Amino acid sequence: MWSRAVFVLVHVVLGVVAQYDVTNCPVEDATFELVTGWMYSSPQDILETRAGTLQLAECIEACKSNQSCLAVNFETGLCVLFKSQVKDRTDTLIKSQFPVFTMYAQKQCIPSARSCTRAWGFELVRGYYIRNGVKKQMQLPSRMACMDACIQERTFPCRSAWWDVVKSECVMSDLDRYSLDNAGRFAPLANVEYMESQCVDEPSKMCEFKRIENKLLKTVDSLHEGVASVEECRQLCSDAPFRCHTFDFEGVCRLSHHSTVTVSQVEEPYLVMNGSVSYERGSCYNVTLDCQANHLIARLSTNKIFNGKVYARHRPNSCVLDVKQAMTFEMVMDYSDPGCGIKQEEPGRFATDLVLQHHDQIMTSADMGFALRCSFHLENRSVAHGIELQVTGQIQSMASESAVVPSPNVSMRITDRVS
Ligand SMILES: *[C@@H]1O[C@H](CO)[C@@H](O)[C@H](O)[C@H]1NC(C)=O
Ligand SMILES: *[C@@H]1O[C@H](CO)[C@@H](O)[C@H](O)[C@H]1NC(C)=O
Ligand SMILES: *[C@@H]1O[C@H](CO)[C@@H](O)[C@H](O)[C@H]1NC(C)=O
Ligand SMILES: *[C@@H]1O[C@H](CO)[C@@H](O)[C@H](O)[C@H]1NC(C)=O
Ligand SMILES: *[C@@H]1O[C@H](CO)[C@@H](O)[C@H](O)[C@H]1NC(C)=O
């Protein structure tokens, strides 16, 4: 009886290990997790050193396609492949952040990563979590199972997960370091491993970028030559095989998934260079327009917690939605509501512009405008000239469009100083 119990226990443990066994992983299940500011030190296990590798994705791909390769060290221009990786022997990972920081990436075998099109699956930060960020938590057999569950989560976008080593507990969150409105919520916590997903789907089209003057990241994920303009470089950032958050263009175009908040643990991550500019991605928006018979619904989602308001450009006071701490929100506007003043450009074609304002009182250059249009087929209705159209339920919506427009120009002036 006793030996049978032991047998069952051993069997279960082996089963768990085999599922995520990285040494015997089909190429399509292999993904990588990245650790920034550290490098693997195990000279006897070096498979290959590739000088001149300008893309982290290329370095990782070289490791992914070779069964013997289990990890890489990368800094812009240097890719080192290893046949072993850090397990629990964390002493083989050494801090590498000055004069340029290094990234370490290790292979993991996560079956659901097949669905992930990004060059690597996760970024790992030891000893951190997001305060008040719990969306779902569960007991799981391993950290790999936790990553697997995060990729497979369908009820919310799993942007990060942290693994409690002691409790074997997996906590999933719809927030990550980029989405926090207060960086202090990313906080130290003993015995947890924070894992940020690269696989999450997020809006990447309508994005705002802010300028960071006189600073360039010391290490980037990719470097592209022969790029003609800042615009072209920004486009490469939008199309990158990773979640690109920073780019710069000083003759060459350089991209990184890092931003000010994610390199905060690295010592001097930026090179200070007079006259240079880095562009850092802020909020991105996804707008979907639902044209109903007598009203339209603008549904907005973003990748960063939004605080502020949304209003009709020409009715900032009477057609406004206040938003507190949300990442998805919707604005409903009646075509006939004078408070919203939706224009009928021609029969059956309704138009309005929305403005997203990040601050309750002050407009900033980060504010965004969206042009919304709803058009309806009206051939089979008699529309008398000069009479306001009443659109009712039977009419089919033909097309809905949304586009980014410049937000109203910012003008501020101090009128009086209270002394
Ligand atoms: C993996 O890379 C090493 C070093 O470049 C090479 O010797 C080996 O043949 C490669 N293995 C496969 C399966 O490609
Ligand atoms: C944008 O939102 C729509 C509807 O909410 C969704 O179907 C679509 O996948 C989203 N796109 C992105 C890139 O998030
Ligand atoms: C930076 O450049 C500007 C204009 O080119 C110059 O006035 C300024 O002194 C420079 N600052 C430093 C610290 O070199
Ligand atoms: C208008 O009515 C005709 C006949 O009833 C129908 O065939 C046609 O599809 C209708 N057009 C639209 C746009 O609904
Ligand atoms: C905003 O300012 C820019 C440049 O100063 C100008 O070209 C544009 O016409 C202005 N837009 C509006 C709506 O006033």
Side-chain angles (χ1 to χ4, degrees), residues 46-48 50 62 65-69 81:
I46 293 178
L47 273 180
E48 197 184 336
R50 299 181 162 213
S65 59
N66 187 323
Q67 285 281 358
S68 332
C69 181
L81 277 60

Side-chain angles (χ1 to χ4, degrees), residues 148-178:
D148 207 357
C150 181
I151 296 178
Q152 289 185 59
E153 181 56 52
R154 290 289 168 267
T155 61
F156 61 91
C158 179
R159 291 191 171 82
S160 70
W162 50 98
W163 172 249
D164 188 312
V165 180
V166 177
K167 293 191 246 168
S168 284
E169 189 177 68
C170 175
V171 179
M172 292 192 266
S173 178
D174 61 343
L175 301 172
D176 61 17
R177 289 173 292 174
Y178 309 104

Side-chain angles (χ1 to χ4, degrees), residues 222-355:
S222 70
L223 189 152
H224 306 263
E225 289 168 295
V227 175
S229 64
V230 177
E231 274 315 306
E232 210 174 295
C233 187
R234 180 204 302 247
Q235 193 57 45
L236 285 173
C237 184
S238 300
D239 299 341
F242 49 87
R243 296 171 65 194
C244 177
H245 285 94
T246 304
F247 71 90
D248 61 59
F249 181 69
E250 307 285 328
V252 293
C253 172
R254 305 189 321 145
L255 314 176
S256 174
H257 72 288
H258 279 301
S259 71
T260 317
V261 288
T262 62
V263 290
S264 61
Q265 266 94 25
V266 177
E267 183 189 332
E268 295 188 30
Y270 291 95
L271 177 73
V272 177
M273 197 172 108
N274 200 3
S276 65
V277 185
S278 290
Y279 298 86
E280 188 170 296
R281 209 175 88 172
S283 305
C284 298
Y285 299 95
N286 180 12
V287 185
T288 53
L289 186 56
D290 183 355
C291 296
Q292 298 284 333
N294 47 19
H295 63 274
L296 65 83
I297 307 169
R299 296 194 171 90
L300 292 111
S301 61
T302 169
N303 55 344
K304 195 177 170 82
I305 294 175
F306 182 79
N307 286 297
K309 56 188 185 180
V310 188
Y311 59 83
R313 187 184 173 82
H314 301 290
R315 299 284 194 282
N317 300 316
S318 55
C319 195
V320 58
L321 174 74
D322 277 306
V323 183
K324 292 263 174 298
Q325 296 272 320
M327 291 172 82
T328 56
F329 39 96
E330 59 180 51
M331 175 113 173
V332 180
M333 298 162 86
D334 271 11
Y335 302 131
S336 57
D337 179 0
C340 284
I342 294 185
K343 279 209 282 292
Q344 194 172 170
E345 294 179 324
E346 53 187 76
R349 188 173 160 88
F350 299 92
T352 185
D353 289 353
L354 276 192
V355 177

